Amino acid sequence: MADHERPGHTGAVRIGTSGWSYDHWQGVLYPPGLPARDRLAHYAARFDTVELNASFYRWPRDDTFAGWRRRLPAGFTMSVKAPRGLTHGKKLYDPEVWVGRITRGWHELGDKRAVLLVQLPPDFARDDTRLDYFLAALPEWIRVSVEFRHPSWDDAGVYALLERRGAAYCIMSGAGLPCVLRATAAFVYVRLHGPDPDVLYRGSYSDEDLAWWAGRISEWRTAGKDVFAYFNNDGGGNAVRNATTLRRLLGAG
């Protein structure tokens, strides 16, 4: 029995942001004039996890992952967004080549790896067979969370499929996205895309909103589940401020 399944085990909580290299975070997280190459180290001194989004546009080389493993501090973990060639181009069809590339990079990331985020496009309707085939193709040691953008995936059968494969349903907060609090794996993955009711990635969560999320995260943690939560409302440094507040509410910073 794994530690997270033992009665009385309290899960770990990691709070961070989606991406780190934003010019408009100067004066919020980064000192003015800090070179871009030094931003990750500066970020890692403040937070213990980050979600890499650049990998969606261009999958990093194996030696880039190895470099992060060497340079990031002990205890820091990185979640990585799956490439759009797999999720939006092929829509998970015939995934073996991409799975091979992802597995090599994940191996190189070593003890700094957190969760592989698989974000499906809004026009990709429910296809249980294709999703199941893809999840089966991934090595079992890769933790994976799936973010669904088409409403047809919101179904008990899909949640059961994720549970069977040990994959986490990605819990979302954002304009036009369903906020479904379903924990389908030994860990919980949350993406906070901003509180604006009309536009994604905009606005800053109120202290009341963040206190509500702290309550939910505490419940999952008490249930023995590890929780990863990332703020994706980067504009104006909102993600940094919101992540800092949530960490404080949870006693993590």
Side-chain angles (χ1 to χ4, degrees), residues 41-167:
H42 199 91
Y43 175 99
R46 176 87 164 265
F47 299 103
D48 62 3
T49 192
V50 73
E51 182 186 83
L52 177 68
N53 273 300
S55 52
F56 177 72
Y57 303 100
R58 183 171 182 173
W59 188 254
R61 299 181 310 182
D62 294 350
D63 59 358
T64 300
F65 282 111
W68 285 324
R69 183 191 71 236
R70 292 191 301 268
R71 290 171 20 229
L72 289 168
F76 188 94
T77 63
M78 177 183 287
S79 290
V80 180
K81 191 173 181 179
R84 61 181 174 180
L86 168 67
T87 58
H88 289 54
K90 306 201 75 167
K91 294 182 178 177
L92 304 184
Y93 179 75
D94 194 22
E96 282 79 8
V97 172
W98 273 117
V99 167
R101 292 187 64 185
I102 290 168
T103 301
R104 291 196 304 273
W106 217 238
H107 175 77
E108 293 296 339
L109 194 54
D111 62 350
K112 303 304 190 299
R113 56 186 176 237
V115 179
L116 175 70
L117 169 66
V118 178
Q119 183 193 81
L120 302 184
D123 63 346
F124 185 7
R126 181 181 174 185
D127 186 334
D128 290 19
T129 300
R130 190 174 295 193
L131 176 63
D132 190 48
Y133 185 90
F134 165 70
L135 292 175
L138 286 172
E140 291 185 357
W141 52 272
I142 295 181
R143 284 186 292 193
V144 60
S145 178
V146 185
E147 185 178 41
F148 302 103
R149 293 293 181 94
H150 193 282
S152 61
W153 293 98
D154 184 8
D155 186 272
V158 174
Y159 302 131
L161 189 163
L162 294 173
E163 289 176 359
R164 187 170 69 254
R165 291 297 181 187

Side-chain angles (χ1 to χ4, degrees), residues 1 10 12 42 47 91 167 192 204 210 223-224 240 251:
M1 180 180 290
T10 301
H42 199 91
F47 299 103
K91 294 182 178 177
L192 299 122
S204 179
L210 296 172
V240 174

